[in-house]
Each structure stands twice: as structure tokens, then as C-alpha cells.
Amino acid sequence: MAEEKNKVGFALKKITTEQFAIIESSYKESEIVELKAGLKFGINFDNNIISVVFSTSLIQEKSPFLLIAVGCHFNINIEAWNSFYNESKTELIVPKGFISHLVMLTIGTTRGVLHSKTENTPFNKFLLPTLNVNELVKKDVVFKAEKTK
């Protein structure tokens, strides 16, 4: 029974490609490739949406040659949303385990968008590696938010 309490109902509502670029002049076939990654979170309080934007760039000699940022926008069911909301502090506190799951889904989506955008190009050989989400998300994500309804 306790397990049921930890389940959060949600649905992927929208995927957005926030950024995509290939800078061919910055790429050199034999050079070492470095990967940098970042995360941003957002909420749409009125519509119970949590957004996760994962961005990554492939870099050689401090110059990026491939940039991608993909957003996944998740509609959270009202019971879960209300359980995240702390009215006295006007904060929405999204538990680490749940936000990590959304991050994992967003990284997987980014991997697919990267493949699709680079298909039939020499850059299709660059795959987004598996990433340790626990290294990216170390704690609950807290949003300052006041109910407008």
C-alpha cells in the first residue's frame, strides 16, 4: 500500500527542440571530443506542467561543433501536484526521485532527436552516452510559486 503513495500520475504533453546546430567548421576528424551537459527546469503553475530541458554540446579544443537542447513538458495529475505544493512557503517541491525520472525520459528523448536530426550526415556517429542521472539531480527541485487560481 505504501508503494502506491509514491506513484505520480503524469503524461508527456509536448516535446520541443529548443536548440540544434552543427558547426562543421569547428569539427576535426581526429581530435578528442568532449561532452558538456546541462539541465533547466520550469513550471507552468496554472496548467500543472513541469518542464525539463536537457542541453548538451560536443566540443573540440574549446569550440562546440554540435549543440542540442530538448524540452519535455509533463502534465502532472492534480493530486500529485497538490502534494508537491507547500502553501505556507508558496513552494512547489518536486521530489528527487520523480524529477530524476523526468530527466531520464528527457535525456532519452534528446538522444532520439539527435539521431533524427543527424541522420544521413557524418555527425550521426555521435550518440548521447548513458548518463548517471544521480550525478545530474542531487536533491529535490524547489520552485517558488504562488497559486493564481
Side-chain angles (χ1 to χ4, degrees), residues 35 37 54 56 104 107 111 128-136:
L35 180 135
F54 177 75
T56 190
M104 194 168 57
I107 291 171
R111 193 173 282 116
L128 195 52
T130 55
L131 300 169
N132 183 347
V133 174
N134 291 325
E135 290 295 312
L136 296 172

Side-chain angles (χ1 to χ4, degrees), residues 87-137:
E87 209 153 349
S88 65
K89 290 186 175 177
T90 61
E91 289 177 340
L92 191 77
I93 302 166
V94 185
K96 176 187 183 291
F98 179 64
I99 201 79
S100 294
H101 183 62
L102 299 184
V103 167
M104 194 168 57
L105 293 170
T106 304
I107 291 171
T109 301
T110 304
R111 193 173 282 116
V113 172
L114 178 63
H115 167 73
S116 179
K117 292 244 182 219
T118 60
E119 201 165 19
N120 301 319
T121 76
F123 295 93
N124 192 245
K125 68 183 175 189
F126 295 104
L127 302 174
L128 195 52
T130 55
L131 300 169
N132 183 347
V133 174
N134 291 325
E135 290 295 312
L136 296 172
V137 181

Side-chain angles (χ1 to χ4, degrees), residues 35-55:
L35 180 135
K36 287 205 174 151
L39 275 175
K40 286 194 300 188
F41 302 104
I43 59 170
N44 177 319
F45 204 89
D46 295 331
N47 295 306
N48 304 346
I49 292 174
I50 295 175
S51 297
V52 178
V53 177
F54 177 75
S55 59

